Amino acid sequence: MIPDIAFDALSTVLEGRVTRSKSDLDVHGRSETWFAPTPPDAVAYPETTQEVSAMMKVCYAHDIPVVAWGAGTSLEGQTLAIHGGLVVDFSRMNRVLQVNDADMDCRVQPGVTREQLNTDLRATGLMFPVDPGANASIGGMAMTRASGTTAVRYGTMRDNVIGLSVVLADGTIIETGSRARKSSAGYDLTALFVGSEGTLGLVTELSLRLYGQPEAISAAVCAFDDLDAAVNAVIATIQYGLPMARIEFLDVVSVQAVNAYSGANFPARPHLFVEFHGSQVSVADQVETFGDIVRDFGGSDFEWASKTEERNALWTMRHNAYYACLALKPGYKAVVTDICVPISKLAQAVEETAADIAASPLDGPILGHVGDGNFHAILLIEDANDADLGEAKRLAGRMAERALAMGGTITGEHGIGMGKKDLMQAEHGAAWTVMGALKSAMDPRNLMNPGKLVP
Amino acid sequence: MIPDIAFDALSTVLEGRVTRSKSDLDVHGRSETWFAPTPPDAVAYPETTQEVSAMMKVCYAHDIPVVAWGAGTSLEGQTLAIHGGLVVDFSRMNRVLQVNDADMDCRVQPGVTREQLNTDLRATGLMFPVDPGANASIGGMAMTRASGTTAVRYGTMRDNVIGLSVVLADGTIIETGSRARKSSAGYDLTALFVGSEGTLGLVTELSLRLYGQPEAISAAVCAFDDLDAAVNAVIATIQYGLPMARIEFLDVVSVQAVNAYSGANFPARPHLFVEFHGSQVSVADQVETFGDIVRDFGGSDFEWASKTEERNALWTMRHNAYYACLALKPGYKAVVTDICVPISKLAQAVEETAADIAASPLDGPILGHVGDGNFHAILLIEDANDADLGEAKRLAGRMAERALAMGGTITGEHGIGMGKKDLMQAEHGAAWTVMGALKSAMDPRNLMNPGKLVP
Ligand SMILES: Cc1cc2nc3c(=O)[nH]c(=O)nc-3n(C[C@H](O)[C@H](O)[C@H](O)COP(=O)(O)OP(=O)(O)OC[C@H]3O[C@@H](n4cnc5c(N)ncnc54)[C@H](O)[C@@H]3O)c2cc1C
Ligand SMILES: Cc1cc2nc3c(=O)[nH]c(=O)nc-3n(C[C@H](O)[C@H](O)[C@H](O)COP(=O)(O)OP(=O)(O)OC[C@H]3O[C@@H](n4cnc5c(N)ncnc54)[C@H](O)[C@@H]3O)c2cc1C
């Protein structure tokens, strides 16, 4: 509940850009996955850091929970206002503030989307590589510590956010990090905020590391006889040290889903989708080495996508794989798992997961960023079917246990939100309590995205 | 002060490995730089995580300050027990616990030194690249977020520590991170501890990322007509995107100091010391490109060090440069500055610093890891000469201001300790207060390295 006096105060500091209109509340009450809609009490659209600070002071004074909203593409219910309060939609803070060609960094507002940023950068010869498929906002990506297809080469948001402006619960504005390439000046607050899912403060600016657009890019797909062969080819590639730009696995069901959804006709076998970046010489060299590895594992001849449009079509298909899987069963929703294991355990983890799913009544295509040891099963459940949901959670729980037993993690890139909170104790033990203590220190009134991530 | 009853309790849990012998206290009361000796009240030598936990419980019960000690090579007085209490020397926790070839990671105790680790790894074909010159302990390196000559290619401790065991102030043992290559499972506690200088807890185990030993390595030195030309060659190299493994700058005074100390005979001109890692083909390619860049800036012909022994000799000279500079003025001590700026500002930062030092009565050779935008002036001061110390601090203060004005940091790699605490407010503003709040949350009794880093 937001009392009228608080709503009016918010309206004043935001110059009217706060609303209780039903359509706004509904849009900001939905998530991409299986969580029940939870509309907030109001939605705010700030435009500046100063406004965000003034807004937080009002919320602090009136004890109003605040949930940040980037593009709303997170998969664990991170943006749902489960304790009511204000959703802060950053879509109007979408300016690229500065691009420093010479230092290969930039400063952006959090509502800039990754596609928008790369369109903006095109003429500079630079790019921001982190690519979670969805056209997420940079602020949201930072807050889930997103990664995606290119992390195997360029790292995740952890590696590519170098500084932040953050508004704390009481409205204090702080700056973290610097434009230097490294620093030993105290606690790494940037890293503490990255991945914090809006539970510690609202990000109003980000400095990002950029990369030169590669001189040469080459992409390919290749099919394998079985899951084992495909995954073992990945392990060999990573252990060889080949600097893959992308190396993605799709199991048979995923391939069939992509064929149906995107009008492709890949053979119904497990596939790898790969991409190489570098100089002409080095890409040629990588392609050759990779070809040798694939042949060792009985992979099919490559199908090459060397033209830009072909490549774009390929990665669009990959990015739409989630929707392609959903389309396998119209009206169904998904519980999306996201484990990440040491590369040496990848084959075992994928096989055991596939066997689990085969023995279950649910469908669950498997695909993922296998170069990082990260993969997803998209467990399809009938909407509002408790038995399905229970079964999906059982499978997801087994995957999580498996990942932890192998020295891995319950989430490689999607984060915790509500969906994985009950697995945090198993992954972190007493360290989860420490996370709670840090949260309390930063946000003693528990206003920032309450009910998510921490105990 | 440590009451006898507490000392006896410590002696019990440490099976006698705690001492008040004068020689032990003296050794652990010294620092590498200009700080006055400050012996602690006792020194402990734990051997296991469990012992460290039991020891912390005693310290917690008796309110005894605790300062961790790795190899004692930090440069900002980090290890000095300025509030008395217990120094915890980790030299007996020096085992490499596990090397996972297939995943290219390892688990070590904190007292393992970087040279010891690389000797251990030699046969595996892997290496741990972070190289702060000194034979520091891995625990100490993690806690100062160390980097050094190779960070330009392999990153700093921030990038290469993937998990920790930590004993908190009250003796609780926590685990951070995992062996997965990435994770979005909550706050990045690993990153919070890395760089915390023992103010948040004691590290008892570390998981590290390893790299394949390069197939080919080539090193070289080259001289330039002036500082400008050398630094601009570095900027061009970095902006070109050449994956240098090392690129170090030494000014004329540093070169003369190295000649005198190490019996070399480099021409009395500014130099770059460089190294290339990769496949035979790629190193050859890098060397050629770098050669072109150097020629553009009027650099002299390279002097190559292609044999392992020649390379080792070269880097030993570089690593001893600090002692070589100290030897310029026998009996003097050093205030070591450590700013890091965006690469585009590097030439300006170095030039202005050189001009400042030229106008000062002090000597201050300049050298550094310029590929990161990081360099040091080794400001030589007479021991116990307050005027010299005041002048050194004035120069260091101007360098820090300069770095901050350029978007850089007051310390690229040496950390804060006592020496740079008075610059933290200028770098972080309100974010420094946040660091203090985090410290209080983790260590409410302020027992962990009190007086360092936080307000
Ligand atoms: C089809 C599809 C494919 C996907 N594939 C991947 C993938 O490959 N890799 C991957 O990593 N993810 C993937 N995701 C997940 C998703 O894209 C990410 O979680 C994304 O990083 C979230 O960005 P967003 O802008 O949508 O943030 P939101 O969902 O709006 O918010 C995410 C979290 O950040 C917080 N937040 C947002 N903005 C701010 C701010 N300014 N300040 C403070 N907190 C803020 C929110 O409160 C929330 O907790 C996929 C999602 C979909 C739908
Ligand atoms: C000649 C010379 C050259 C140098 N060159 C570089 C360089 O190029 N790059 C660079 O980064 N540094 C450099 N340094 C600085 C130094 O080597 C680093 O600061 C080093 O990382 C500290 O490691 P140590 O083992 O000596 O730690 P110590 O000095 O013993 O401790 C450092 C800090 O970590 C804490 N600590 C140590 N162990 C633990 C533990 N187990 N748990 C919790 N806290 C702990 C200590 O309390 C202290 O605060 C140089 C130093 C010298 C003398």
Side-chain angles (χ1 to χ4, degrees):
Chain A
M1 260 293 297
I2 302 183
D4 285 345
I5 183 173
F7 186 84
D8 293 344
L10 289 171
S11 191
T12 304
V13 301
L14 293 166
E15 297 181 1
R17 279 175 273 100
V18 56
T19 169
R20 296 193 267 208
S21 91
K22 185 160 177 342
S23 63
D24 269 281
L25 302 187
D26 283 350
V27 166
H28 293 90
R30 290 192 206 119
S31 92
E32 284 275 356
T33 51
W34 57 275
F35 300 93
T38 321
D41 297 316
V43 180
Y45 296 90
E47 291 185 347
T48 66
T49 300
Q50 293 305 330
E51 276 186 4
V52 174
S53 168
M55 179 195 84
M56 279 313 309
K57 283 179 186 155
V58 175
C59 292
Y60 191 75
H62 294 274
D63 258 323
I64 300 170
V66 172
V67 184
W69 181 282
T73 69
S74 49
L75 299 170
E76 298 294 348
Q78 278 98 335
T79 50
L80 296 180
I82 50 176
H83 293 277
L86 186 68
V87 159
V88 182
D89 182 318
F90 281 96
S91 58
R92 294 177 77 104
M93 291 182 70
N94 66 344
R95 281 188 306 132
V96 176
L97 301 170
Q98 210 179 78
V99 177
N100 306 298
D101 293 45
D103 296 311
M104 303 214 281
D105 62 36
C106 69
R107 186 88 177 165
V108 302
Q109 290 186 316
V112 169
T113 67
R114 70 172 179 87
E115 288 179 7
Q116 177 196 346
L117 178 57
N118 280 312
T119 304
D120 255 53
L121 290 173
R122 199 166 292 156
T124 64
L126 297 170
M127 64 171 190
F128 183 67
V130 183
D131 173 12
N135 189 20
S137 73
I138 300 293
M141 287 165 60
M143 290 302 100
T144 61
R145 206 181 291 123
S147 46
T149 54
T150 57
V152 62
R153 170 72 165 263
Y154 298 99
T156 73
M157 292 305 277
R158 179 191 202 271
D159 309 297
N160 292 300
V161 176
I162 60 175
L164 299 168
S165 298
V166 184
V167 176
L168 303 179
D170 65 359
T172 306
I173 302 167
I174 64 168
E175 304 294 327
T176 75
S178 76
R179 289 186 53 234
R181 281 276 140 161
K182 64 184 193 184
S183 171
S184 289
Y187 305 153
D188 190 344
L189 296 183
T190 306
L192 181 65
F193 282 106
V194 171
S196 66
E197 302 185 357
T199 62
L200 298 177
L202 299 179
V203 171
T204 59
E205 287 186 21
L206 306 95
S207 290
L208 307 173
R209 191 174 275 230
L210 302 174
Y211 297 79
Q213 290 165 12
E215 182 190 320
I217 305 182
S218 202
V221 292
C222 49
F224 291 80
D225 286 340
D226 53 36
L227 181 156
D228 246 46
V231 175
N232 284 314
V234 174
I235 297 178
T237 305
I238 298 301
Q239 290 181 346
Y240 185 89
L242 212 65
M244 303 300 294
R246 290 172 151 136
I247 182 163
E248 298 284 310
F249 169 76
L250 288 85
D251 76 354
V252 175
V253 185
S254 306
V255 169
Q256 288 168 326
V258 167
N259 282 342
Y261 189 83
S262 300
N265 57 356
F266 298 114
R269 289 197 283 154
H271 274 68
L272 296 181
F273 286 18
V274 297
E275 191 165 274
F276 308 91
H277 292 179
S279 65
Q280 303 284 358
V281 174
S282 101
V283 165
D285 197 38
Q286 292 172 52
V287 163
E288 195 184 312
T289 309
F290 185 69
D292 290 343
I293 295 173
V294 167
R295 263 187 303 279
D296 284 349
F297 291 91
S300 73
D301 287 347
F302 295 95
E303 198 171 310
W304 288 101
S306 41
K307 294 213 196 82
T308 306
E309 311 80 69
E310 286 167 8
R311 273 203 325 272
N312 289 348
L314 180 66
W315 294 114
T316 302
M317 276 188 237
R318 168 62 189 90
H319 287 152
N320 286 334
Y322 174 61
Y323 300 108
C325 292
L326 278 176
L328 286 173
K329 292 202 154 185
Y332 275 50
K333 304 226 150 181
V335 170
V336 185
T337 66
D338 175 37
I339 64 173
C340 188
V341 299
I343 197 84
S344 65
K345 310 281 188 196
L346 181 62
Q348 189 192 341
V350 175
E351 280 157 34
E352 290 181 7
T353 300
D356 258 15
I357 294 171
S360 151
L362 298 188
D363 285 319
I366 295 176
L367 76 184
H369 319 302
V370 280
D372 303 320
N374 181 208
F375 65 94
H376 315 294
I378 313 227
L379 302 168
L380 297 171
I381 61 175
E382 198 179 24
D383 202 10
N385 177 331
D386 284 347
D388 274 12
L389 181 58
E391 172 65 2
K393 290 201 163 175
R394 188 187 68 81
L395 289 171
R398 281 177 60 88
M399 284 180 72
E401 273 168 34
R402 186 172 294 134
L404 295 178
M406 292 174 171
T409 175
I410 57 173
T411 168
E413 55 180 24
H414 294 164
I416 302 303
M418 297 192 280
K420 294 217 172 77
K421 247 183 90 169
D422 56 353
L423 299 169
M424 284 293 272
Q425 182 67 35
E427 175 151 349
H428 298 292
W432 198 33
T433 313
V434 171
M435 293 185 201
L438 297 174
K439 159 80 171 171
S440 300
M442 303 278 296
D443 177 22
R445 299 197 187 171
N446 195 24
L447 299 179
M448 310 306 302
N449 209 356
K452 313 289 170 60
L453 196 148
V454 285
Chain B
M1 261 290 299
I2 301 182
D4 285 345
I5 182 173
F7 186 83
D8 292 345
L10 289 172
S11 190
T12 303
V13 300
L14 294 166
E15 297 183 1
R17 278 174 274 100
V18 56
T19 171
R20 295 193 268 209
S21 92
K22 183 158 179 346
S23 64
D24 268 282
L25 302 187
D26 283 351
V27 166
H28 295 89
R30 290 192 207 119
S31 93
E32 284 275 355
T33 52
W34 57 274
F35 300 94
T38 320
D41 296 317
V43 180
Y45 296 90
E47 291 185 348
T48 67
T49 300
Q50 293 304 330
E51 276 187 4
V52 174
S53 169
M55 180 194 84
M56 279 312 309
K57 284 179 184 155
V58 174
C59 293
Y60 191 74
H62 293 275
D63 258 323
I64 299 170
V66 171
V67 184
W69 181 282
T73 68
S74 50
L75 300 170
E76 297 294 349
Q78 278 99 334
T79 50
L80 297 179
I82 51 176
H83 292 277
L86 186 68
V87 160
V88 182
D89 182 319
F90 281 96
S91 58
R92 295 177 77 103
M93 290 182 69
N94 66 345
R95 282 187 305 133
V96 176
L97 301 170
Q98 208 180 80
V99 177
N100 306 299
D101 293 44
D103 296 310
M104 303 214 281
D105 63 35
C106 69
R107 186 88 177 166
V108 302
Q109 290 186 315
V112 169
T113 67
R114 71 173 177 86
E115 289 180 7
Q116 177 197 345
L117 177 56
N118 280 312
T119 304
D120 255 52
L121 290 174
R122 199 165 293 157
T124 64
L126 297 171
M127 64 172 190
F128 183 67
V130 184
D131 174 12
N135 189 20
S137 73
I138 300 294
M141 286 164 61
M143 290 301 101
T144 61
R145 207 180 292 123
S147 45
T149 53
T150 57
V152 62
R153 170 71 165 265
Y154 298 99
T156 73
M157 292 305 277
R158 179 191 201 272
D159 309 297
N160 291 299
V161 177
I162 60 174
L164 298 169
S165 298
V166 183
V167 175
L168 303 179
D170 65 0
T172 305
I173 302 167
I174 63 168
E175 305 294 327
T176 76
S178 76
R179 289 186 52 233
R181 281 278 139 158
K182 64 183 194 186
S183 171
S184 288
Y187 304 155
D188 190 345
L189 297 182
T190 306
L192 182 64
F193 282 106
V194 170
S196 66
E197 302 186 355
T199 62
L200 298 176
L202 299 179
V203 172
T204 60
E205 287 186 21
L206 305 95
S207 290
L208 306 173
R209 192 173 274 230
L210 302 174
Y211 296 80
Q213 291 165 14
E215 182 190 320
I217 305 182
S218 203
V221 293
C222 49
F224 291 79
D225 286 341
D226 52 36
L227 182 155
D228 247 44
V231 174
N232 283 315
V234 173
I235 297 178
T237 305
I238 297 301
Q239 291 180 344
Y240 185 88
L242 212 63
M244 304 298 296
R246 291 171 151 135
I247 183 162
E248 297 284 310
F249 169 76
L250 288 83
D251 75 355
V252 176
V253 185
S254 305
V255 169
Q256 288 168 326
V258 166
N259 281 343
Y261 188 84
S262 300
N265 56 357
F266 298 113
R269 290 196 282 155
H271 273 68
L272 295 180
F273 286 19
V274 297
E275 192 164 273
F276 308 91
H277 292 179
S279 67
Q280 302 285 358
V281 174
S282 102
V283 165
D285 196 37
Q286 292 173 51
V287 163
E288 193 182 314
T289 309
F290 185 69
D292 290 343
I293 295 172
V294 167
R295 262 187 304 280
D296 284 350
F297 291 90
S300 73
D301 287 347
F302 295 94
E303 197 171 309
W304 287 101
S306 41
K307 294 213 196 83
T308 307
E309 310 81 68
E310 286 167 10
R311 273 204 325 272
N312 289 348
L314 179 67
W315 294 114
T316 302
M317 276 187 236
R318 169 62 189 89
H319 287 152
N320 285 334
Y322 174 60
Y323 300 108
C325 291
L326 278 176
L328 286 173
K329 293 204 152 182
Y332 274 51
K333 304 226 150 181
V335 169
V336 186
T337 65
D338 175 37
I339 65 174
C340 189
V341 298
I343 197 84
S344 66
K345 310 281 188 197
L346 181 63
Q348 189 191 342
V350 175
E351 279 156 34
E352 290 181 10
T353 300
D356 258 16
I357 294 171
S360 150
L362 298 189
D363 286 319
I366 294 175
L367 76 185
H369 318 303
V370 280
D372 303 318
N374 180 208
F375 65 94
H376 315 293
I378 312 226
L379 302 168
L380 298 171
I381 61 174
E382 198 178 24
D383 201 9
N385 177 331
D386 283 348
D388 273 13
L389 181 59
E391 173 64 3
K393 288 200 164 178
R394 188 188 67 83
L395 290 170
R398 282 176 60 88
M399 284 179 72
E401 272 168 35
R402 187 171 295 135
L404 294 178
M406 293 174 170
T409 176
I410 57 174
T411 169
E413 55 180 23
H414 294 163
I416 302 303
M418 297 192 281
K420 294 218 172 77
K421 246 182 90 169
D422 56 353
L423 300 169
M424 284 292 272
Q425 182 66 35
E427 174 150 350
H428 298 291
W432 198 33
T433 312
V434 172
M435 293 185 201
L438 296 174
K439 159 79 171 172
S440 299
M442 303 277 297
D443 177 22
R445 300 197 186 171
N446 195 23
L447 300 180
M448 309 308 301
N449 209 356
K452 312 291 169 58
L453 197 148
V454 284

